[in-house]
Amino acid sequence: MPNKALEEKLILIVLDGCRYDTAIEQMGVMNHFVEHQQATLIKVIAEMPSNSRPLYEVLGTGVPSYRNGILTNGHVRRSQEISLFDLVKQAGGKTGAAAYYWQSELFNEAPYDITRHRIQHDENKAIQHGIFYSEDGYPDSHVFADANYLIQTYTPNFMLIHSMNIDDIGHKFTADSREYAAAVNHVDTILGMCLPEWLQLGYQILVTADHGMDNKGLHGGSLAAHREVPLFIFSTKFPENSGIRQMNQLEVAPLICNLLGIEASDKMQIGNTRGQQS
């Protein structure tokens, strides 16, 4: 008997390399929504190692690196865990992604081949509708345009949008640079153009980052600059005045399940929220 179609819809936006304090300082659109109680802001403490591929896996599965086996950026293989994409499909929903190619390698097929995997439409895959890019300088504006096409055309219940320009600029110029601040400021403008329309379409939206960036242009370690990232939540299903000011990154995946109204996987880390009153 086929699954009943999933009704809820959610977009997860991952701004690669965006640290918490810079988001507070430079994201005027996002913080406007928070100030007017249209969104909630929570500080997320990223897992270690605070590198990209391990944290894509963490965000996608809610399973820590020592258990999922993705410990470095060099672990090029498909995830062996149950992902959010899998869970949405099991619940009768559709999935999509406009994202860096490592997401395709983790959740669809590895290794990535640009001639075969740049654009993917396959109902049997975890990410059923995907547009992937393989250059860190691929403009964020293009990533969001790719995402908008997939959203408007396929109406996925769970959509991943993953941009790389903040991380790319941070490595080149460090987090203590005008260029890094400008990259964060620029994506805030893009979000201001896209989010109102997607909210009108009935999407819940989460905006976060995998990791931050330090003043040497590095991440991967234990510094607050590496691990403290924002989480902006646009959802009427998330309680107002929850009192939660900080949470662990492992809790993002089960939170998404809760907002979508689907069951979390057995391995997802639930119930460790470090709630702090303001």
Side-chain angles (χ1 to χ4, degrees):
M1 187 177 196
N3 288 326
K4 180 181 177 181
L6 182 63
E7 295 182 358
E8 298 294 340
K9 298 183 294 184
L10 185 144
I11 299 170
L12 172 64
I13 300 172
V14 178
L15 307 177
D16 206 295
C18 183
R19 52 191 265 179
Y20 180 83
D21 57 354
T22 310
I24 299 302
E25 293 170 358
Q26 296 295 333
M27 302 189 81
V29 172
M30 301 302 292
N31 287 292
H32 165 80
F33 284 114
V34 174
E35 190 171 85
H36 288 275
Q37 299 180 325
Q38 302 301 301
T40 299
L41 171 62
I42 295 173
K43 179 188 290 185
V44 169
I45 307 302
E47 280 285 285
M48 291 190 289
S50 53
N51 281 320
S52 293
R53 196 185 297 260
L55 298 186
Y56 303 163
E57 172 81 357
V58 165
L59 287 167
T61 69
V63 180
S65 294
Y66 80 93
R67 296 184 68 183
N68 66 47
I70 305 293
L71 288 159
T72 74
N73 287 343
H75 282 82
V76 181
R77 63 167 173 79
R78 195 185 186 284
S79 171
Q80 297 175 8
E81 307 296 336
I82 297 172
S83 73
L84 290 166
F85 301 105
D86 297 316
L87 293 171
V88 168
K89 281 185 60 184
Q90 291 171 17
K94 294 183 291 184
T95 65
Y100 194 58
Y101 74 104
W102 288 3
Q103 303 279 3
S104 175
E105 290 183 326
L106 281 170
F107 303 114
N108 272 3
E109 182 179 347
Y112 177 86
D113 180 346
I114 193 172
T115 64
R116 296 189 298 119
H117 299 146
R118 164 105 170 101
I119 297 175
Q120 301 181 46
H121 296 290
D122 187 339
E123 297 295 326
N124 295 315
K125 290 183 176 180
I127 302 174
Q128 295 168 312
H129 303 287
I131 300 177
F132 301 96
Y133 61 96
S134 54
E135 296 182 12
D136 293 11
Y138 186 72
D140 286 354
S141 59
H142 290 41
V143 178
F144 280 86
D146 294 343
N148 190 60
Y149 165 75
L150 294 173
I151 290 166
Q152 299 289 345
T153 305
Y154 299 100
T155 320
N157 297 89
F158 177 58
M159 177 73 192
L160 171 66
I161 304 173
H162 172 211
S163 65
M164 283 291 292
N165 287 176
I166 295 171
D167 181 77
D168 184 42
I169 292 296
H171 285 305
K172 291 175 179 175
F173 297 98
T174 82
D176 187 25
S177 67
R178 181 191 181 282
E179 289 83 358
Y180 180 81
V184 176
N185 190 284
H186 178 62
V187 81
D188 181 63
T189 300
I190 297 173
L191 289 167
M193 298 292 291
C194 297
L195 262 61
E197 182 174 359
W198 295 340
L199 291 168
Q200 283 290 320
L201 292 174
Y203 278 95
Q204 304 172 79
I205 300 174
L206 272 60
V207 182
T208 190
D210 50 347
H211 54 72
M213 183 73 61
D214 68 23
N215 291 343
K216 297 177 182 178
L218 302 172
H219 55 80
S222 62
L223 294 176
H226 298 165
R227 300 187 67 189
E228 293 183 358
V229 299
L231 174 61
F232 295 93
I233 302 173
F234 296 76
S235 173
T236 59
K237 296 183 180 301
F238 191 84
E240 293 184 29
N241 304 316
S242 66
I244 299 172
R245 296 293 176 264
Q246 181 171 303
M247 63 189 290
N248 189 287
Q249 195 173 49
L250 289 167
E251 296 173 283
V252 175
L255 170 62
I256 291 171
C257 290
N258 184 58
L259 294 176
L260 284 170
I262 62 177
E263 291 292 326
S265 74
D266 292 340
K267 288 187 179 181
M268 283 184 179
Q269 307 290 297
I270 304 173
N272 296 317
T273 303
R274 292 177 249 175
Q276 296 182 356
Q277 300 295 326
S278 60

